[in-house]
């Protein structure tokens, strides 16, 4: 499709791929449409880009305030020397355990081995719509203890431990209304959901397993294999994301920008 100078095509099962040079200025109508497309589709992929950190921030600022967290460089690298930076990272939405989850995240591949690593995305609103009625009935109206797990546990499901170690804890609803779209999203995930309140631990664990088995089916997942120049913008409330282990992917440097109002400790130490 082509609209006011923006050419795009749908991805499956969600998201769009945008065909334009993002280093060039966007007109006012183009900028407004860019954000409309982002909220409507949850994810925008653009290939072959070469945008600076400053330009990436300019684009993200169209959606809200840029969040710069103390101690972070803005780059995720497999060469940081931190073991957690190579670990698998289970399904989650950033800062979902807080009252101010991040609105938008953008990653730009500035130095990667083409095709050697990926990030996977799942649409939490679509997943909720497809959830079997008996599962939805069991979690609707419930609250869940959400955590920021310790760095040595980011490859594990938090619900599998009776009392998981946490850097931060919070209580959130199991279903969350996305302010960008008005759609309800399933708000439990593998990394951060420790326990559904009001249930014995075993019952909560088994229910979460049943939910995860459904929402993380391959039919619900978009996997993107990174190539140099790729940039992805996504709605952090609408989508959950994860990545596999990075031990054998070679050099992987992603330039990251966050849109949000409150800073919390990152899962991956800089």
């Amino acid at each position: 499709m082509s609209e006011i100078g923006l050419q795009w095509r749908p991805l499956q099962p969600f998201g769009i791929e945008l065909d334009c040079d993002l280093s060039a200025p966007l007109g006012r109508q183009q900028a407004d449409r860019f954000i409309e497309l982002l909220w409507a589709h949850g994810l925008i992929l653009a290939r072959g880009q070469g945008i600076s950190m400053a330009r990436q921030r300019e684009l993200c600022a169209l959606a809200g305030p840029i969040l710069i967290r103390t101690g972070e460089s803005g780059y995720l690298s497999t060469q940081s020397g931190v073991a957690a930076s190579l670990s698998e990272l289970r399904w989650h939405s950033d800062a979902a355990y807080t009252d101010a989850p991040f609105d938008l995240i953008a990653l730009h591949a500035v130095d990667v081995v083409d095709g050697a690593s990926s990030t996977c995305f799942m649409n939490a609103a679509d997943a909720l719509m497809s959830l079997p009625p008996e599962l939805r009935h069991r979690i609707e109206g419930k609250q869940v203890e959400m955590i920021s797990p310790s760095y040595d546990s980011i490859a594990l499901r938090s619900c599998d431990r009776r009392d998981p170690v946490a850097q931060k804890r919070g209580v959130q609803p199991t279903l969350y209304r996305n302010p960008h779209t008005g759609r309800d999203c399933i708000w439990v995930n593998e990394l951060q959901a420790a326990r559904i309140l009001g249930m014995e631990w075993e019952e909560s664990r088994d229910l979460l397993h049943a939910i995860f088995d459904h929402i993380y089916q391959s039919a619900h997942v978009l996997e993107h294999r990174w190539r140099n120049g790729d940039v992805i913008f996504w709605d952090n409330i609408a989508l959950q994301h994860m990545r596999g282990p990075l031990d054998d992917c070679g050099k992987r440097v992603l330039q990251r920008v966050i849109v949000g109002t409150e800073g919390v400790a990152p899962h991956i130490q800089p």
Side-chain angles (χ1 to χ4, degrees), residues 9 11-15 17 43 45 47 91 115-123 216-227 230 232 239-246 252:
R9 66 175 184 87
L11 299 173
Q12 294 299 328
F14 55 83
E17 181 174 343
L43 179 147
L45 161 67
R47 303 180 191 271
W91 287 103
S117 65
S118 68
T119 301
C120 294
F121 301 91
M122 184 275 292
N123 189 308
Y216 301 134
Q217 293 178 68
S218 59
H220 298 157
V221 173
L222 171 68
E223 180 177 12
H224 178 71
R225 301 204 72 83
W226 291 101
R227 300 181 66 85
D230 291 348
I232 294 181
L239 306 186
Q240 296 181 22
H241 62 285
M242 65 84 68
R243 64 141 200 260
L246 302 176
R252 181 185 191 262

Side-chain angles (χ1 to χ4, degrees), residues 26 53 97 108 151 174 188 227 255-256:
L26 296 177
M53 174 67 83
Y97 50 88
H108 180 27
Y151 292 126
T174 54
V188 297
R227 300 181 66 85
Q255 183 172 278
R256 179 173 63 179

